[in-house]
Amino acid sequence: MAVRRRKGGRDGVSSSEAETVDCQEKKDAAGSNAGFQWTPVSILSVAVGLFMAYYSGSTHGWLMATLHENVLWFSNIKEVEREISFRTETGLYYSYYKQLVNAPTIAQGLYELVHDNITEHGKTINILERFNIYQEVVMALLYRFLSLQKTVEPVFFYIHAVFGLHSVLVMSLYGTTWLLSGSWLAGILSAAFYTFNKVDTTRVEFTIALRESWALPFWYMQMFLLTVFFHPNLHRNLKVVTVSLLYVCTFCFALTWQFAQFALLLQAMALFGCAVLDVIPAQKIRQVWLIQAGSLLAVCVCQFFNKMVLCSLVLSFIPSAMLVIAFKERVFTRRGLSWQFAGLVLNVILVMVSMLLFNKYVIKTIIRTDADQHIFNFLMGKFGLSGNQRDFDAQLYLCETAFRVLPLDTFVRLSKSLVFPLYAVFHLCVLLVLMQSVLQNWRYVRTMLLHVF
């Protein structure tokens, strides 16, 4: 009996892949048109869930502000003592906010930041290029535009803005858990775990002006929006709004923290794994990668074409990953189970090698800079791969507690609060389910190929 071959699909796409895409589009359209069946019970449940999200977030922000006040008596000490309480580099960041607030005019204040001759002795530098202080600029402009000089002291406006952002952080964590589990009770549990284990989740109450204190709320909002974006039945209009907000949050995250590029690199790598394993549609993952790249390029422009942003590994990883995924779709989509395993290993090797080669021999050759070399020296020193034990920058980072190996008492502490055992069991179950799903998917592809060919 003759077996008929399927006709070709879309341009450059295999017939099986085209049918999958068409089927998914019809399914999404059907899901969008069906809509959510609103009943009095469901309306009440959603209303209670939204209220608990607000309550969980606002309670966390209030707790952080209260702890900060109780430790420092912040509202009862002098202005100079408040400024001294900003530790290490946080005092430097706050000084730029204060400088712009007290400037005779906004234009003059911005000019002094761009042409700063105080921070580094004997040099005039551009603070907006050198440091991530756009959050201080925005807060100072808001303080002046809202005419709050007679009602709120600048320092209180500054610190409560950070605590407010961390309220949004917990709300975003709550919303992400709610979407993934389908129950707002899980959202309450995640918010409670985050707040009760504050020793291991946040240090905002005593390091208010650190870059991470500003950036992490945008990171959690971005993850919440990613959860919405990857929903299979997302309405087209909601998708446009989600993508726009996703870009804004990614941009703000990268703009407010110099280490955001490494978090985005890990996220891009995780998405690459999802694309290789066919867990998430590759088209959606490409959109997220483009959002990441666009956000970093916009940050580069805002920081007067900062070369460290252009040299970031994530900007080298994204084009490499796109090429490898395109190669995978054309070569390994029609293959059997053994080819899928071989392709998985090959794709990982290809993307890592191409990322390093593209970063070193293309980007850095064009830009002609080694501004991020101290970061690589630190990583080599941390993993014991560096032959130079006298590198000052690397040794300085390694002296910081935050960059050392995670102490064992962390696991003991998290086990007592049940976080680590639940985390380990949950991830083990997720990995087993993922493995089973991937194998079933690969076997299904092989079966379809046997029927087609």
Side-chain angles (χ1 to χ4, degrees):
M1 183 176 63
V3 179
R4 291 183 302 173
R5 292 177 179 268
R6 296 182 182 178
K7 296 181 179 179
R10 302 174 182 178
D11 296 337
V13 182
S14 63
S15 57
S16 59
E17 189 177 350
E19 290 184 2
T20 303
V21 172
D22 291 336
C23 182
Q24 184 63 38
E25 288 178 352
K26 292 177 182 179
K27 183 179 178 182
D28 293 350
S32 331
N33 295 331
F36 179 75
Q37 297 297 324
W38 290 100
T39 63
V41 176
S42 63
I43 293 175
L44 179 62
S45 176
V46 171
V48 173
L50 292 175
F51 171 77
M52 292 306 300
Y54 169 78
Y55 178 79
S56 300
S58 59
T59 300
H60 177 80
W62 170 83
L63 176 63
M64 295 300 104
T66 303
L67 290 174
H68 178 258
E69 173 66 25
N70 290 345
V71 171
L72 298 175
W73 284 29
F74 201 75
S75 60
N76 296 294
I77 57 179
K78 299 177 181 178
E79 180 69 19
V80 65
E81 294 173 323
R82 293 171 184 162
E83 295 176 1
I84 293 174
S85 70
F86 291 110
R87 305 181 182 184
T88 61
E89 70 269 28
T90 60
L92 176 67
Y93 298 137
Y94 177 78
S95 69
Y96 298 129
Y97 164 78
K98 181 181 178 182
Q99 178 180 335
L100 189 53
V101 166
N102 295 330
T105 63
I106 294 176
Q108 182 177 342
L110 292 174
Y111 179 86
E112 292 174 352
L113 289 178
V114 176
H115 303 83
D116 180 89
N117 56 5
I118 299 175
T119 303
E120 291 190 9
H121 176 69
K123 294 182 180 180
T124 299
I125 62 174
N126 185 346
I127 298 298
L128 296 179
E129 178 188 3
R130 181 68 62 87
F131 303 118
N132 298 73
I133 65 155
Y134 269 94
Q135 50 268 52
E136 277 74 24
V137 172
V138 172
M139 293 307 301
L141 293 179
L142 285 175
Y143 184 80
R144 295 183 67 135
F145 286 148
L146 296 175
S147 302
L148 299 175
Q149 291 84 346
K150 296 182 179 179
T151 56
V152 181
E153 295 183 47
V155 66
F156 286 103
F157 182 72
Y158 182 85
I159 66 171
H160 285 292
V162 178
F163 293 139
L165 279 175
H166 279 257
S167 296
V168 178
L169 182 154
V170 173
M171 293 181 197
S172 302
L173 177 62
Y174 179 106
T176 303
T177 312
W178 187 358
L179 285 175
L180 292 175
S181 65
S183 172
W184 51 263
L185 293 174
I188 295 177
L189 185 63
S190 63
F193 273 136
Y194 184 89
T195 301
F196 294 154
N197 294 275
K198 68 176 187 62
V199 175
D200 298 294
T201 58
T202 182
R203 50 179 179 171
V204 66
E205 72 271 17
F206 60 88
T207 57
I208 296 174
L210 273 185
R211 305 300 83 184
E212 67 186 58
S213 299
W214 290 94
L216 288 179
F218 294 108
W219 179 241
Y220 278 77
M221 284 187 275
Q222 192 244 29
M223 289 191 287
F224 167 74
L225 292 168
L226 273 181
T227 308
V228 177
F229 178 68
F230 287 142
H231 195 281
N233 298 326
L234 188 63
H235 192 275
R236 184 174 300 176
N237 295 334
L238 182 58
K239 180 180 178 181
V240 173
V241 175
T242 303
V243 169
S244 302
L245 292 176
L246 190 58
Y247 177 82
V248 172
C249 289
T250 307
F251 169 75
C252 292
F253 173 63
L255 186 66
T256 53
W257 196 20
Q258 67 271 28
F259 294 131
Q261 55 175 290
F262 300 105
L264 291 174
L265 174 63
L266 294 176
Q267 185 181 72
M269 287 180 171
L271 292 175
F272 175 78
C274 293
V276 170
L277 296 174
D278 296 318
V279 177
I280 299 175
Q283 183 58 33
K284 283 195 170 185
I285 292 177
R286 288 191 190 96
Q287 292 179 7
V288 177
W289 282 337
L290 290 175
I291 289 173
Q292 290 180 332
S295 301
L296 287 170
L297 291 175
V299 169
C300 178
V301 173
C302 291
Q303 291 192 301
F304 296 84
F305 298 95
N306 190 318
K307 292 182 179 180
M308 275 195 64
V309 179
L310 290 176
C311 292
S312 61
L313 287 176
V314 64
L315 281 181
S316 300
F317 178 85
I318 289 173
S320 303
M322 286 187 171
L323 290 175
V324 171
I325 292 300
F327 170 75
K328 176 253 182 188
E329 290 175 342
R330 291 183 177 276
V331 176
F332 293 100
T333 301
R334 289 172 169 259
R335 305 293 180 176
L337 194 61
S338 59
W339 274 89
Q340 296 285 3
F341 278 114
L344 176 62
V345 177
L346 180 61
N347 288 329
V348 173
I349 295 174
L350 278 176
V351 75
M352 297 304 294
V353 172
S354 57
M355 174 191 69
L356 295 175
L357 293 177
F358 186 77
N359 182 266
K360 185 172 183 178
Y361 294 107
V362 178
I363 293 182
K364 290 186 177 179
T365 301
I366 296 174
I367 299 177
R368 295 182 180 179
T369 182
D370 57 351
D372 59 346
Q373 188 59 41
H374 65 286
I375 298 176
F376 291 100
N377 292 339
F378 157 69
L379 292 175
M380 296 290 284
K382 181 172 178 61
F383 295 107
L385 302 176
S386 175
N388 183 11
Q389 301 295 329
R390 298 181 63 83
D391 185 272
F392 177 76
D393 291 325
Q395 296 303 317
L396 182 63
Y397 278 119
L398 291 173
C399 287
E400 272 292 324
T401 306
F403 295 108
R404 295 177 186 171
V405 179
L406 199 64
L408 294 178
D409 66 328
T410 303
F411 300 99
V412 176
R413 185 169 57 251
L414 291 176
S415 298
K416 291 180 179 178
S417 60
L418 298 180
V419 173
F420 182 69
L422 291 175
Y423 173 87
V425 171
F426 172 78
H427 276 270
L428 179 61
C429 294
V430 168
L431 288 175
L432 292 175
V433 172
L434 177 63
M435 185 183 303
Q436 181 184 10
S437 176
V438 169
L439 290 175
Q440 286 179 350
N441 186 32
W442 287 352
R443 290 194 184 100
Y444 173 76
V445 172
R446 182 185 180 187
T447 304
M448 293 298 295
L449 291 174
L450 291 176
H451 283 289
V452 173
F453 298 101

